[in-house]
Amino acid sequence: NQGNATFHNGAGIEWLTGTLNQACLPGTTGIITDQGALRLKDIVRKRLPVRVKSYSFERQQWEWQPVIGWHDHGPEEQYYALALVDRTSWRDLTATANHLIMQPDGTKVPMASLRAGDRVCRPGFVPSGDQQQLVLGLLLGDGSIDKHGRLQITHGRNQRDYLEWIVDALKEFGPTVRQVQGGYGTWCWDVRFQAHPWMRELRRTWYPDGKKRIPSDALSQLRTLGLAIWIMDDGSFRDGYYCCIATDALDESQRHLVEQYFTSRGLDGGFSIRKKNGHGTWHFIAKSSRTVMEIIADYLEVLDESLIGRKRWRHPTIQHGKEGIVAVEIGSVLPVTLRGRTTRNHGFRSDKPERRYDLTVAENHNYCVGSGILVSNSGGHPVLAILDEADMVDPPVRQRFMKTPSGPS
């Protein structure tokens, strides 16, 4: 007796499990386990007592959870193939239409309901607040993100120490450093980071029409570290304390956002616009300049050695992020027909539909396939959970309940 439903002598259990467990994956699907990547059908057929990579939305962490249910749901030829935007093959996940796919907020969506542009989740690096501020400051300054979601920055050789600090601070994004030819026969340091889902989101918001524009809510997120990075990139000091920030790439509407941000915080100043090209520079008044220098003093030092004050980065220690759950954009979802593969003893392709399998995972009830996408399992219903737990103690229990092929009595 479970959930006000009583089944006598096991009649109807097979009908119930068959109805609830229609959601499955083809047997060739790779599963991330504590013993490495294994095929789903090998785990099910051999009832391997492995632990799979699973995510706890309650504890906000990845965990290795044991498999407590192994399900072979028979043949099926109609599936859906999902490919991510950053895919390395033509499909990253194949599943039946009603298999539930985990969303970044913990909800579940059937495979057939997903569309291009939707999000799924997988393991990935989640940047810390300090790293987010660093990238925000770079985007306001000299940084850019290409259409593939790769951050890029270029600095002169006299800022090598500053660039090395950035490379170390963002080392989880896989930086590549190289020397490139600059203007007037000089050379510069160019750094490119690997693509990341978070960077792709930034690209979408910062480059709505292919050209970098400050989002309306970006400056409200700016903190001390981000401001210091911005000034280190585009700022300068005259006579050691008069501070200004070059805003050449900003149009009038964006300059208004900058002016509104600074004046609302008591940092008064104004723009000077060059008639020749329309480029603008924000100038703080003397009092505000001294305030800015005090605000960023822990990150940036102004060297009052000439009429144009030089800057020196203090190489502060920042907090790094950790592995978490990241949202990844779907590129396409298409219906596909899968049939059996070539058999071992015969050189012809079988016309039999591909068999479908699934697992039940303890506690979190989800697991990662080989591409990293997080999917739900076949154990969400209380009756199925009872059978799975019973199987761990007495394996024949499920078989005894599954003998009757008829519907519920």
Side-chain angles (χ1 to χ4, degrees):
N1 191 338
Q2 178 72 22
N4 298 323
T6 303
F7 296 90
H8 300 283
N9 299 323
I13 291 293
E14 183 178 15
W15 170 85
L16 175 64
T17 55
T19 302
L20 294 176
N21 279 340
Q22 296 284 332
C24 318
L25 306 173
T28 54
T29 304
I31 307 298
I32 301 177
T33 75
D34 58 348
Q35 300 179 17
L38 300 174
R39 292 189 302 179
L40 177 58
K41 65 181 180 181
D42 293 336
I43 298 175
V44 174
R45 291 174 178 177
K46 300 176 183 179
R47 297 179 65 87
L48 298 177
V50 296
R51 294 188 301 165
V52 295
K53 191 162 190 175
S54 177
Y55 188 75
S56 170
F57 287 91
E58 179 182 357
R59 292 179 290 275
Q60 298 290 301
Q61 64 182 16
W62 289 98
E63 302 170 341
W64 294 104
Q65 290 290 349
V67 174
I68 59 174
W70 300 262
H71 313 291
D72 181 347
H73 297 311
E76 174 63 51
E77 64 179 21
Q78 299 302 322
Y79 294 86
Y80 278 80
L82 178 153
L84 302 176
V85 169
D86 61 345
R87 62 182 181 269
T88 56
S89 63
W90 72 277
R91 62 182 179 188
D92 293 289
L93 173 65
T94 304
T96 52
N98 58 349
H99 195 99
L100 298 179
I101 312 301
M102 303 301 299
Q103 299 293 285
D105 60 357
T107 58
K108 307 173 184 178
V109 177
M111 181 72 164
S113 299
L114 294 172
R115 297 293 183 269
D118 291 344
R119 303 289 189 273
V120 293
C121 50
R122 68 180 182 188
F125 175 74
V126 178
S128 67
D130 288 345
Q131 290 173 318
Q132 294 180 30
Q133 282 298 305
L134 196 163
V135 174
L136 176 57
L138 290 174
L139 289 176
L140 289 169
D142 295 332
S144 63
I145 299 178
D146 65 17
K147 62 181 180 180
H148 302 292
R150 297 175 298 197
L151 177 67
Q152 178 181 356
I153 51 177
T154 303
H155 283 290
R157 57 183 179 181
N158 60 334
Q159 290 186 306
R160 179 174 176 176
D161 290 344
Y162 170 58
L163 199 63
E164 289 177 347
W165 177 85
I166 294 177
V167 169
D168 181 70
L170 298 178
K171 59 185 178 182
E172 291 86 356
F173 293 97
T176 301
V177 183
R178 61 174 183 167
Q179 294 183 21
V180 296
Q181 189 71 31
Y184 305 103
T186 62
W187 55 269
C188 305
W189 292 103
D190 179 81
V191 182
R192 295 191 180 186
F193 298 86
Q194 295 178 1
H196 188 275
W198 176 58
M199 295 291 185
R200 292 191 185 92
E201 291 295 329
L202 291 177
R203 167 74 188 191
R204 185 176 294 105
T205 56
W206 280 76
Y207 295 80
D209 54 359
K211 183 180 179 180
K212 185 166 70 171
R213 298 181 59 85
I214 301 176
S216 57
D217 61 340
L219 291 175
S220 63
Q221 303 170 13
L222 190 64
R223 302 294 180 265
T224 306
L225 176 58
L227 177 61
I229 293 287
W230 187 12
I231 294 178
M232 185 67 186
D233 278 6
D234 288 342
S236 61
F237 295 86
R238 181 170 59 86
D239 296 333
Y241 58 88
Y242 283 108
C243 180
C244 62
I245 302 176
T247 57
D248 295 348
L250 306 185
D251 58 21
E252 184 176 355
S253 61
Q254 292 185 294
R255 288 197 291 264
H256 177 70
L257 289 176
V258 174
E259 180 177 7
Q260 189 177 33
Y261 169 76
F262 285 127
T263 55
S264 65
R265 287 157 176 78
L267 302 174
D268 297 324
F271 277 102
S272 63
I273 309 298
R274 292 190 289 275
K275 295 182 179 180
K276 182 178 180 180
N277 51 24
H279 293 172
T281 300
W282 172 262
H283 299 267
F284 292 101
I285 64 174
K287 179 180 178 181
S288 298
S289 294
R290 287 190 288 269
T291 302
V292 169
M293 292 173 61
E294 293 174 358
I295 292 175
I296 64 176
D298 292 338
Y299 302 98
L300 190 152
E301 179 185 7
V302 178
L303 304 177
D304 190 12
E305 297 179 357
S306 63
L307 293 179
I308 303 299
R310 294 190 295 129
K311 302 165 294 185
R312 182 169 63 192
W313 193 247
R314 293 186 181 274
H315 300 78
T317 301
I318 69 169
Q319 182 180 5
H320 289 253
K322 60 180 181 180
E323 185 186 36
I325 195 167
V326 296
V328 188
E329 183 179 355
I330 297 174
S332 63
V333 181
L334 300 172
V336 295
T337 299
L338 296 183
R339 295 187 179 275
R341 305 299 177 91
T342 302
T343 61
R344 177 178 299 178
N345 298 325
H346 303 280
F348 61 88
R349 185 177 179 85
S350 172
D351 290 332
K352 295 181 179 180
E354 184 82 15
R355 294 188 71 85
R356 49 188 176 155
Y357 303 86
D358 205 357
L359 305 171
T360 300
V361 180
E363 195 167 342
N364 297 334
H365 293 287
N366 59 57
Y367 58 92
C368 282
V369 299
S371 61
I373 298 176
L374 187 65
V375 301
S376 182
N377 71 175
S378 286
H381 195 275
V383 173
L384 302 182
I386 291 174
L387 291 176
D388 291 331
E389 295 290 349
D391 274 351
M392 297 296 291
V393 179
D394 184 10
V397 167
R398 180 182 288 268
Q399 283 76 2
R400 292 203 300 270
F401 276 102
M402 299 282 283
K403 285 180 180 179
T404 306
S406 60
S409 58

